[in-house]
Amino acid sequence: MFNIIIVDDEEEILELMEVYLCNDGYNVLKATNGIEALKIINEEQIHLAILDIMMPGMNGLQVCIEIRKKYNIPIIMLSAKSQDMDKIQGLSMGSYDYMVKPFNPMELLARVKAQIRRYVYLNENSEVSKKEEIVEIKGISINKRNHKVHLYGKEIKLTPIEYKILLLLASNNGKIFNSEDIFKEIWKEKYFEGNNTVMVHIWRLREKIEENPKESKIVETVWGVGYKIEEE
């Protein structure tokens, strides 16, 4: 369930918005001033905020600025002012949408749904993107965007070939690759029996990431089969 905070010093408007939002399945938290709103936002997980601009004390614009210092939630501004400059000011402060009072509750509900969908989509894709860009296994972190490799937080300098071999093994947790598999994947050429190129590069890679290359605990050898990196 999504938590929505509505902030307005007019109790009737708060109650009206609460009825429509609750009937549509949202959990609503209410505040009648900016200070109260920020307290709730800092204590609860809020997915969207609806802020009235014209409030005594801390107005909606000031609340919006404070929210943006910590959170990236959607904000819909409400105001009795309809001038373009007022809308521009609200949007430039970090709000995602702007509605003029009096407003149609059904239109507000439609805009809330649109902003919630956008919020969910962006956050899901952000997480997916992050997972796709970073490979982490056995203390190793591989950033596929900038090709940087860290071992327990310390950057490790690898050659392009060493990087590709490490990425191949690390991206396939527990899968065993023999020398022919690795050669074809990395060099994109036909493999010839007796070619020790892969073995040489595996050794050099181990020298950089293993505490003891002769007793490898990251890039493991499966005797008679190949190599693997497997999270225990």
Side-chain angles (χ1 to χ4, degrees):
M1 180 179 290
F2 295 104
N3 296 326
I4 297 176
I5 185 169
I6 49 180
V7 190
D8 200 304
D9 59 333
E10 297 183 54
E11 192 66 37
E12 291 182 0
I13 293 180
L14 282 179
E15 292 176 359
L16 175 66
M17 288 191 286
E18 182 181 23
V19 168
Y20 276 87
L21 291 168
C22 287
N23 285 343
D24 210 63
Y26 297 107
N27 183 47
V28 174
L29 298 92
K30 297 184 293 183
T32 56
N33 60 71
I35 300 298
E36 183 184 1
L38 291 175
K39 184 175 185 297
I40 294 172
I41 291 169
N42 287 325
E43 293 176 351
E44 305 286 342
Q45 183 180 15
I46 302 297
H47 301 99
L48 182 143
I50 301 173
L51 307 176
D52 179 37
I53 291 180
M54 303 299 290
M55 292 188 295
M58 178 180 282
N59 64 39
L61 293 175
Q62 293 170 318
V63 176
C64 182
I65 292 171
E66 291 302 312
I67 292 174
R68 280 290 168 262
K69 290 179 180 179
K70 293 183 179 180
Y71 309 104
N72 195 34
I73 60 173
I75 297 173
I76 298 176
M77 305 295 289
L78 303 177
S79 177
K81 296 182 178 181
S82 59
Q83 286 86 354
D84 287 341
M85 284 307 300
D86 294 315
K87 295 179 182 179
I88 291 171
Q89 186 178 18
L91 294 170
S92 66
M93 293 296 182
S95 68
Y96 285 11
D97 205 347
Y98 186 104
M99 291 193 70
V100 178
K101 292 180 178 181
F103 54 83
N104 184 323
M106 293 304 295
E107 182 184 351
L108 175 65
L109 187 59
R111 295 195 186 201
V112 166
K113 289 180 178 179
Q115 293 299 335
I116 288 290
R117 283 197 300 270
R118 181 176 182 270
Y119 173 79
V120 171
Y121 174 80
L122 290 176
N123 278 276
E124 283 182 347
N125 280 276
S126 176
E127 288 302 310
V128 169
S129 176
K130 183 177 178 181
K131 289 177 182 178
E132 289 178 345
E133 288 178 6
I134 305 294
V135 176
E136 294 182 330
I137 189 168
K138 281 199 165 182
I140 292 174
S141 176
I142 306 171
N143 188 316
K144 294 194 284 185
R145 173 174 288 185
N146 59 24
H147 287 203
K148 288 189 176 181
V149 176
H150 290 81
L151 178 62
Y152 298 114
K154 181 181 178 180
E155 186 173 354
I156 305 296
K157 298 294 185 181
L158 302 179
T159 66
I161 294 297
E162 291 164 357
Y163 171 84
K164 289 178 182 179
I165 293 175
L166 179 63
L167 179 61
L168 176 66
L169 297 176
S171 299
N172 294 274
N173 183 10
K175 182 177 178 179
I176 301 171
F177 291 85
N178 60 34
S179 293
E180 183 176 354
D181 295 330
I182 296 173
F183 189 87
K184 287 180 177 179
E185 185 69 32
I186 304 302
W187 280 270
K188 309 296 183 185
E189 296 177 5
K190 185 177 180 180
Y191 179 81
F192 294 98
E193 199 68 36
N195 188 335
N196 66 352
T197 302
V198 171
M199 184 178 67
V200 171
H201 282 87
I202 290 284
W203 174 257
R204 290 174 180 169
L205 174 61
R206 283 172 167 167
E207 286 184 315
K208 295 180 180 180
I209 66 173
E210 300 282 0
E211 186 174 341
N212 182 356
K214 294 181 179 179
E215 298 179 7
S216 181
K217 295 183 179 180
I218 297 177
V219 179
E220 302 176 54
T221 297
V222 181
W223 294 108
V225 185
Y227 306 95
K228 69 174 181 175
I229 296 180
E230 184 171 17
E231 192 74 77
E232 297 174 355

